[in-house]
Amino acid sequence: MLLDERLRRLLCMRSRVKEVSEASSMCEAVRSLAGAERMSSGGEGMVVFDVCSGKGLGATLLSFLLPRGRVVMLDSNGGMDLSHLRARPNLSFRHVDLFSADTPAVLRDEAEGASYVVAVGMHLCGALSPRLIDLAVAGGTIDAMALCPCCLKGAHGKAVARSAAERSVEPYAVLVETLQAICEREIEAAAAGGGARSRVGVWTDREMLSPKNRYITVQKWAADKAAPDVALCQACA
């Protein structure tokens, strides 16, 4: 990556050490969900969505990790300088508002022909985290999700802060619990409707240089199939 000037520009920020640690964490989350067999093939047949990607440092590292897969950056900012994408043939960008009614169709279009689809969201704010959960669990396109949330706002955010104060725990722990509960409710509703079966995992990446370093993961599989034999990280404190 450092050999190409177009890619080196992604590291021209003061917070690059933190940003690299977050991008590396994304790669480990995807590696864990994909499993050894898919990783040994270079991610052949995989599509990974980097949700709210920004310029896509994490997505760029994923494109190296999965040279035979495809990585699609999704972001509502269509005015970014994305000239570095030309350096990575398996990396692309879609200008999309996650809350748009068209988003499920965009995901289906980008995932066409894929054998395994992962969505990853790093430090999503406000309603973006519940929206990603809805797209991952209720939709039929995404097979696995790794969400590392940042915060909730509005009524949900106030409820999280109030609960944390009442229990004398950190608000971030309550945030993760809240999003985990949303996942579990969505999974229960999907199963009742005959949808795919799913399981939820929560884990902490202590190598990430951020206090907001917990993931909520979801893995889905067909109702007539056995659960995927992929061990999820269970390092949650």
Side-chain angles (χ1 to χ4, degrees):
M1 182 172 171
L2 295 177
L3 297 177
D4 192 307
E5 173 61 26
R6 295 168 295 183
L7 300 179
R8 278 204 306 273
R9 288 200 293 268
L10 287 172
L11 300 175
C12 294
M13 79 281 279
R14 290 183 179 180
S15 60
R16 57 183 171 270
V17 174
K18 176 178 177 290
E19 297 287 341
V20 168
S21 80
E22 293 170 358
S24 298
S25 179
M26 283 176 55
C27 289
E28 289 307 309
V30 171
R31 188 197 304 271
S32 175
L33 289 169
E37 185 175 347
R38 291 188 185 94
M39 294 307 303
S40 67
S41 72
E44 184 173 5
M46 285 184 63
V47 169
V48 178
F49 292 114
D50 180 2
V51 179
C52 302
S53 63
K55 289 190 175 182
L57 176 57
T60 301
L61 290 187
L62 283 167
S63 75
F64 284 96
L65 180 69
L66 306 168
R68 301 182 69 182
R70 290 195 302 114
V71 182
V72 183
M73 298 160 50
L74 305 175
D75 203 279
S76 61
N77 183 357
M80 296 179 288
D81 177 7
L82 299 176
S83 56
H84 59 281
L85 267 61
R86 291 194 289 270
R88 300 301 303 156
N90 62 336
L91 180 61
S92 61
F93 173 81
R94 287 293 297 263
H95 181 203
V96 61
D97 176 357
L98 208 64
F99 296 100
S100 169
D102 297 330
T103 299
V106 171
L107 299 180
R108 288 193 300 271
D109 178 57
E110 290 291 345
E112 185 176 3
S115 60
Y116 194 68
V117 180
V118 179
V120 59
M122 173 58 67
H123 290 163
L124 299 193
C125 291
L128 288 167
S129 289
R131 175 56 171 163
L132 175 56
I133 291 169
D134 181 59
L135 291 168
V137 176
T141 300
I142 296 168
D143 299 302
M145 178 200 78
L147 166 63
C148 183
C150 175
C151 60
L152 283 177
K153 299 179 180 179
H156 278 304
K158 291 177 181 177
V160 165
R162 185 167 55 251
S163 176
E166 290 171 353
R167 296 164 53 190
S168 299
V169 298
E170 59 173 303
Y172 191 64
V174 180
L175 167 64
V176 172
E177 290 175 4
T178 301
L179 294 172
Q180 181 183 2
I182 291 173
C183 283
E184 290 167 348
R185 287 198 301 269
E186 293 260 2
I187 286 171
E188 184 177 348
R197 298 164 64 193
S198 307
R199 67 183 175 196
V200 181
V202 177
W203 60 282
T204 300
D205 184 353
R206 296 186 179 88
E207 300 300 318
M208 190 196 305
L209 300 180
S210 170
K212 298 180 177 181
N213 58 355
R214 295 186 186 179
Y215 283 90
I216 301 105
T217 59
V218 172
Q219 287 182 295
K220 296 163 59 177
W221 65 96
D224 60 343
K225 303 292 185 182
D229 186 21
V230 175
L232 296 181
C233 299
Q234 295 294 336
C236 190

